[in-house]
Amino acid sequence: MANTAKFRIFRFDPEKDRDFRFQDYDVPLEPGMTVLNALFYIQDNLDQSACFRVSCRAGICGSCAMHIGGRYRLACETQASIAKDSRVTIRPLAHLPIIRDLVVDMAPFWAHYKKIQPYLQPGDPDPERERTQTPADRSKMDILIDCILCASCHASCPMTASDEAYLGPAALVKTNRFAVDSRDRALEQRLKIVGDEHGVFRCHTVFNCSLACPKEIDPAGSIANLKRLATTHFLCKPEVR
Amino acid sequence: MIYHDVVVVGAGGAGLRAAIAVNQKNVNVAVLTKVHPVRSHSGAAQGGINAAMGNNPRGGFDSVEKHAFDTIKGSDYLADQPAALKFTRAAPGVILELEHWGCPFSRMGDGRVAQRPFGGAGFPRTCYAADKTGHVILHTLYEQAVRFEHASERDNFKVYDEWMVTRLVIEEGKCRGVIAYHLATGKVEAIMAEAVIFATGGAGRVYLPTTNAVISTGLGLAIPYWAGVPVKDMEFVQFHPTTIYPTGILMTEGCRGEGGFLTNKDGERFLKNYSDSAKAMETAPRDIVARNMQREINEGRGIDGMYINLDIRHLGAEKIMERLPGIRDIAMNFVGVDPITQPIPVRPGQHYTMGGVDTDENGATCVEGFYAAGECACVSVHGANRLGGNSLLETLVFGKFAGEAAADYVLSKSALKKGEAALKQGLDAELEKFKKLTDSTGGEKAGTIRDELGRLMAEKVGIFRKEDELKEAWKQVKGLQKRFENVRVGYSGMKFNQALVMALEVEGNLAMAETIVYGATVRKESRGSHFRTDFPKRDDENFLRHSLVTWDAAEKKMKPTWKDVVLGLHEPKERKY
Ligand SMILES: Cc1cc2nc3c(=O)[nH]c(=O)nc-3n(C[C@H](O)[C@H](O)[C@H](O)COP(=O)(O)OP(=O)(O)OC[C@H]3O[C@@H](n4cnc5c(N)ncnc54)[C@H](O)[C@@H]3O)c2cc1C
Ligand code: SF4
Ligand code: FES
């Protein structure tokens, strides 16, 4: 069929299957159809056992990151037509335990997120009005706050595979987001959390994360900034800023 | 049996804010959410959140009273006016609280939170973070949830993510808890609670196209409805003027607030030709803009007969990149259009559920211990039409009030931990229902019914409505409900059984569609988002009241009633912009 998207999808139920396998599905293409639409087509019409995560279908919730045709992408933002000419393989996020098929257990990812104290620590009682922040200071956070916690960076990083305790690019982006927030006063504490061999210094600057990120956040850049801050901090205490 | 003092169902803006409020009163709280909190639909909100802060130089004379007036006028006088004032009074406080919690709002030159103009508002009072306001608010709230979780004693604040609630258990007029399905393990469990707060969001997926997330279905409303809690004003469904053609993804109202134009196939800014939008033009409220766009399309002045152009080219690349970067990404990724050089194809689509669980100003319902807040609730402050930027605000304000009220209720309660038998019964009933769906030999697919219903609703219960089409819609919804009885879920494993989830959501859609069609049929007038071509005028004499629908489980049918609107501040006037 000429107007068909051809997918090869990873299947595995750790409780039932001894090993994973790949299953082929052919989906009739429609104009504008995304990979996510195609997965829905499969679930509705071809195989009701198919499962994947989804919510916004608009590239903002971070649910649907998966390995599609050789790289991590958001299924909802990827045109199904990429599977028109040759069969495209879809796999779940790597380096996380599999629950079933394309759904992975995100618990380790969230545990790292929680570990870095991902909240503003202004260090003083709340004023009556807002804490002011100049547009220039605000713009330092610009790209960092776009992170949708999709875990593409985590899955693409060889270090998260070899060191389960490694905080990983997403948690470090979040740390950097607070490190550059002019309202935050917990830099020292933050650098203590991320400044060891399971934090920024585990990063071997492979840059996979920056290639994988669908929001073009450049996690490697954030990690580099934290490395710089941590190094300065540990070498010439106490003043870093 | 799992037990928590308060269970919050939903972890969008309303659910997280409610849970924090409960925790702040030192009451034990658990949040159950069918997706991880940051995947909630609140994160998709783009444009902003309203509060009369007067930060913008042109907002110097703004006040909470004027914000309340705009809300009431916007509601086409169907809002309960004291509730609207309570709502706008609380607004600056919740914005400041968010700022204190680290929310990265965009800033003005002097460092205060920036505010932009929005449709239907007398002053620029919409706080924003570029065009990702919901995203940053949701993430900030989740960050705070983690902070509260860290700070509280073990399990005093707990988030159960990917736990889908499917049933609410009420016994003798009191709320006893919920039944929930844990997707990752496939377990179905009864969870006992003294108070339950529903914050399950809107029911956009009853319609197609819609700007709403795939998970924003009718189920979140249907669960309390099936348990006997009335829903209110369901006929009021907001259609957003600018959803991208053909997918339905939203182009924020900020596009028009920042000065974008709407043009027809002749390149004309046609809003000037309609008396209700001639003055405010693109910044007129959504219902008016959406109708006039649909008229242009219906009368053959749309582009390719299908859509209208949203033109922001004249704003210039710099402003577009600074203020509307997300919009540009969406336009490029989903339709291959760069708004810096080309107009964006848009058409009206379902956007917001004004109706919902009938609550008072504190989220309380007629069932003791059961509360609702956010888009799934109907207080009502939005009345017949919600203003842009007011619903994120609603999630925070009424999330907070509902959380506080629920915590106070638990603190005042003497007989605790009741209802084990009722919960067990609910659990058994639920397991039986799931089994029936997976064991069914019927030939219907939930996905087919979902799509047919969505199209039917858009076509016959959409922007323009009339008697004979509504009657037809009623018949067809009933027909779809009948067909649903033969739905078969083609997978029987319980771990992440998404086909089962879909079937349950579609059943919820069908229940809510019925209430929407019903409300639209009995409301023989035009008000706000509800436009009857056979009754084009507002009729305050007969319809200045809320429509209520209660499900009678014993008789398996719905019971309609009416409830008066609470006025008190502003006499209803004709709504013109
Ligand atoms: C595209 C878009 C843009 C918008 N832009 C704006 C804007 O600029 N300004 C504005 O004020 N408003 C805007 N809105 C509206 C606003 O975003 C929503 O009204 C608001 O976010 C709803 O929040 P909520 O907390 O009530 O529900 P949601 O954020 O939808 O959250 C619902 C929660 O309930 C959970 N849930 C649902 N059902 C179940 C169940 N059965 N069991 C367990 N959990 C369940 C979900 O997991 C989720 O956590 C926009 C809406 C859309 C669609
Ligand atoms: S940094 Fe990018 S890839 Fe990593 S979680 Fe955030 S959005 Fe996803
Ligand atoms: S479904 Fe939300 S990012 Fe794809």
Side-chain angles (χ1 to χ4, degrees):
Chain A
M1 266 186 288
N3 232 4
T4 307
K6 300 177 281 294
F7 293 104
R8 169 162 296 166
I9 297 181
F10 176 94
R11 305 298 309 262
F12 183 46
D13 184 343
E15 277 164 27
K16 291 189 188 142
D17 305 333
R18 285 179 55 197
D19 209 349
F20 65 86
R21 65 199 154 87
F22 285 92
Q23 195 166 342
D24 290 352
Y25 298 96
D26 291 348
V27 176
L29 262 176
E30 278 171 39
M33 184 183 229
T34 61
V35 171
L36 183 69
N37 296 143
L39 290 172
F40 268 117
Y41 181 90
I42 293 168
Q43 193 186 74
D44 285 343
N45 301 293
L46 305 177
D47 185 346
Q48 294 229 292
S49 72
C51 79
F52 49 89
R53 280 199 177 94
V54 55
S55 171
C56 71
R57 68 81 173 83
I60 188 67
C61 77
S63 299
C64 69
M66 45 189 89
H67 196 264
I68 304 170
R71 58 162 295 183
Y72 286 100
R73 310 174 204 250
L74 298 177
C76 67
E77 264 188 7
T78 307
Q79 291 292 312
S81 55
I82 62 160
K84 198 171 159 204
D85 298 325
S86 56
R87 198 168 285 282
V88 161
T89 303
I90 304 183
R91 305 165 199 263
L93 292 169
H95 311 162
L96 291 164
I98 286 164
I99 293 179
R100 189 161 78 78
D101 299 348
L102 298 175
V103 177
V104 296
D105 182 0
M106 296 280 284
F109 179 82
W110 297 121
H112 294 323
Y113 168 90
K114 288 183 181 177
K115 195 162 171 206
I116 59 105
Q117 304 184 348
Y119 35 83
L120 187 76
Q121 300 180 48
D124 55 352
D126 291 336
E128 206 160 293
R129 292 287 305 193
E130 56 263 67
R131 291 192 175 82
T132 56
Q133 182 170 51
T134 64
D137 278 340
R138 165 62 178 74
S139 72
K140 291 183 188 148
M141 293 185 279
D142 262 355
I143 299 193
L144 307 175
I145 56 175
D146 287 354
C147 174
I148 55 175
L149 298 170
C150 70
S152 292
C153 52
H154 179 103
S156 73
C157 172
M159 294 304 139
T160 60
S162 56
D163 176 10
E164 276 178 21
Y166 174 39
L167 290 170
L172 295 172
V173 166
K174 195 57 132 186
T175 306
N176 194 35
R177 171 247 176 276
F178 287 105
V180 303
D181 190 329
S182 61
R183 300 167 296 176
D184 195 74
R185 289 287 170 277
L187 186 61
E188 175 156 359
Q189 167 86 358
R190 296 189 188 286
L191 293 178
K192 269 192 200 138
I193 298 172
V194 305
D196 67 8
E197 75 274 24
H198 300 298
V200 287
F201 297 110
R202 173 65 49 182
C203 167
H204 289 199
T205 52
V206 179
F207 293 111
N208 277 4
C209 52
S210 297
L211 290 173
C213 177
K215 296 286 154 187
E216 295 173 16
I217 288 171
D218 186 19
S222 276
I223 297 173
N225 185 48
L226 292 172
K227 276 181 179 165
R228 187 182 57 78
L229 287 173
T231 313
T232 341
H233 180 75
F234 295 133
L235 291 181
C236 42
K237 271 181 161 176
E239 201 40 82
V240 259
R241 278 197 209 202
Chain B
M1 194 175 282
I2 304 176
Y3 170 85
H4 292 280
D5 287 343
V6 179
V7 160
V8 179
V9 182
L16 288 174
R17 188 60 193 83
I20 290 172
V22 176
N23 189 255
Q24 282 173 326
K25 294 217 166 207
N26 261 325
V27 171
N28 171 289
V29 60
V31 181
L32 268 64
T33 168
K34 65 183 175 185
V35 295
H36 185 277
V38 302
R39 317 293 188 215
S40 299
H41 189 52
S42 289
Q46 301 170 347
I49 175 165
N50 298 339
M53 318 243 295
N55 284 2
N56 186 304
R58 283 179 291 134
F61 295 102
D62 200 5
S63 67
V64 295
E65 287 79 17
K66 285 174 184 158
H67 183 187
F69 172 72
D70 287 341
T71 302
I72 292 164
K73 180 179 169 194
S75 81
D76 220 347
Y77 295 90
L78 198 70
D80 288 339
Q81 301 190 2
L85 187 59
K86 180 169 175 173
F87 172 59
T88 60
R89 276 203 178 124
V94 299
I95 300 289
L96 291 174
E97 177 181 73
L98 268 182
E99 197 285 326
H100 294 154
W101 283 345
C103 187
F105 286 113
S106 293
R107 301 288 172 152
M108 307 202 311
D110 67 3
R112 289 181 299 158
V113 172
Q115 298 192 281
R116 61 162 55 130
F118 237 44
F123 295 92
R125 68 165 76 95
T126 305
C127 308
Y128 62 95
D131 51 5
K132 295 165 187 149
T133 314
H135 170 74
V136 299
I137 290 179
L138 182 65
H139 280 254
T140 302
L141 286 170
Y142 182 61
E143 288 159 18
Q144 290 302 308
V146 172
R147 179 167 76 95
F148 280 92
E149 196 181 29
H150 279 180
S152 60
E153 286 162 40
R154 210 178 135 72
D155 285 354
N156 216 27
F157 187 113
K158 194 168 168 167
V159 178
Y160 292 77
D161 66 70
E162 302 189 323
W163 284 67
M164 176 168 169
V165 170
T166 57
R167 182 185 288 256
L168 174 67
V169 178
I170 293 172
E171 186 190 33
E172 295 159 5
K174 290 195 178 68
C175 178
R176 300 299 194 199
V178 296
I179 310 299
Y181 164 33
H182 184 205
L183 291 162
T185 58
K187 271 195 306 207
V188 184
E189 294 211 36
I191 297 163
M192 183 189 275
E194 306 304 334
V196 172
I197 304 174
F198 258 51
T200 49
R205 287 275 154 177
V206 172
Y207 284 81
L208 283 176
T210 170
T211 62
N212 284 198
V214 175
I215 62 166
S216 299
T217 68
L219 183 64
L221 276 167
I223 293 168
Y225 171 71
W226 286 326
V229 185
V231 291
K232 182 163 81 187
D233 291 339
M234 289 303 292
E235 62 273 28
F236 295 104
V237 176
Q238 182 167 80
F239 295 88
H240 197 288
T242 53
T243 80
I244 213 160
Y245 176 83
T247 67
I249 295 174
L250 179 77
M251 296 283 102
T252 171
E253 187 155 323
C255 297
R256 288 176 291 129
E258 295 291 352
F261 296 152
L262 290 170
T263 57
N264 61 18
K265 75 173 194 311
D266 306 319
E268 185 188 27
R269 287 176 69 196
F270 56 88
L271 290 173
K272 69 176 183 326
N273 303 331
Y274 298 92
S275 67
D276 50 1
S277 60
K279 200 162 133 231
M281 294 295 286
E282 280 82 2
T283 57
R286 306 197 159 147
D287 56 331
I288 292 175
V289 176
R291 270 198 300 276
N292 292 343
M293 284 171 71
Q294 194 63 48
R295 286 193 178 102
E296 286 295 298
I297 296 171
N298 292 353
E299 289 164 19
R301 290 187 295 277
I303 295 105
D304 297 337
M306 299 300 280
Y307 59 89
I308 295 293
N309 276 332
L310 170 63
D311 196 345
I312 58 172
R313 288 175 294 183
H314 56 283
L315 301 182
E318 198 179 317
K319 196 164 173 186
I320 293 175
M321 303 289 278
E322 183 208 325
R323 306 262 176 98
L324 304 165
I327 287 306
R328 179 163 181 254
D329 285 348
I330 293 174
M332 303 220 296
N333 289 340
F334 291 88
V335 284
V337 162
D338 183 349
I340 293 176
T341 55
Q342 283 166 283
I344 311 166
V346 293
R347 67 171 165 180
Q350 194 288 345
H351 183 52
Y352 187 81
T353 312
M354 260 83 70
V357 175
D358 176 32
T359 73
D360 71 7
E361 297 175 6
N362 294 312
T365 66
C366 62
V367 172
E368 214 180 286
F370 182 67
Y371 301 78
E375 191 169 337
C376 73
C378 180
V379 176
S380 155
V381 293
H382 306 309
N385 174 54
R386 163 193 77 108
L387 292 188
N390 263 0
S391 47
L392 280 175
L393 180 63
E394 173 189 33
T395 67
L396 298 174
V397 169
F398 292 108
K400 176 167 181 269
F401 290 155
E404 288 169 353
D408 287 341
Y409 167 75
V410 173
L411 291 171
S412 72
K413 209 172 162 187
S414 50
L416 300 176
K417 302 198 179 177
K418 297 253 186 251
E420 187 153 346
L423 282 158
K424 280 210 177 106
Q425 224 174 33
L427 177 63
D428 290 343
E430 209 56 25
L431 287 169
E432 200 174 309
K433 177 174 172 178
F434 291 0
K435 195 162 173 341
K436 186 169 165 254
L437 281 165
T438 50
D439 289 0
S440 166
T441 50
E444 290 288 351
K445 286 180 184 146
T448 315
I449 296 181
R450 170 197 68 208
D451 293 350
E452 281 182 37
L453 177 70
R455 284 194 294 267
L456 164 74
M457 293 299 285
E459 198 183 300
K460 299 212 153 46
V461 203
I463 296 187
F464 297 108
R465 300 162 173 184
K466 64 170 189 266
E467 192 80 18
D468 51 344
E469 296 204 335
L470 291 169
K471 290 226 164 91
E472 181 56 32
W474 178 262
K475 255 202 337 242
Q476 293 195 21
V477 170
K478 285 284 163 199
L480 290 171
Q481 284 176 336
K482 190 98 209 124
R483 278 169 58 192
F484 186 85
E485 290 169 15
N486 286 319
V487 159
R488 173 166 179 270
V489 171
Y491 177 65
S492 58
M494 279 304 282
K495 223 165 55 165
F496 250 91
N497 188 338
Q498 257 182 329
L500 173 64
V501 168
M502 181 56 75
L504 297 170
E505 309 262 25
V506 172
E507 189 184 16
N509 283 350
L510 287 165
M512 288 305 103
E514 181 176 330
T515 65
I516 296 169
V517 178
Y518 172 79
T521 313
V522 294
R523 190 174 284 279
K524 298 188 193 313
E525 65 156 353
S526 291
R527 181 187 297 273
S529 68
H530 172 67
F531 195 86
R532 290 278 304 248
T533 50
D534 44 356
F535 299 96
K537 287 247 149 36
R538 195 174 81 193
D539 176 0
D540 286 342
E541 203 157 310
N542 294 305
F543 294 107
L544 190 57
R545 29 183 206 163
H546 303 291
S547 66
L548 256 70
V549 183
T550 313
W551 178 248
D552 186 329
E555 287 188 33
K556 284 206 180 299
K557 69 181 221 226
M558 46 188 255
K559 301 236 156 113
T561 41
W562 295 92
K563 185 167 161 181
D564 282 337
V565 171
V566 188
L567 300 171
L569 301 172
H570 304 283
E571 272 309 300
K573 279 211 250 355
E574 193 192 344
R575 196 167 144 252
K576 266 207 177 127
Y577 289 90

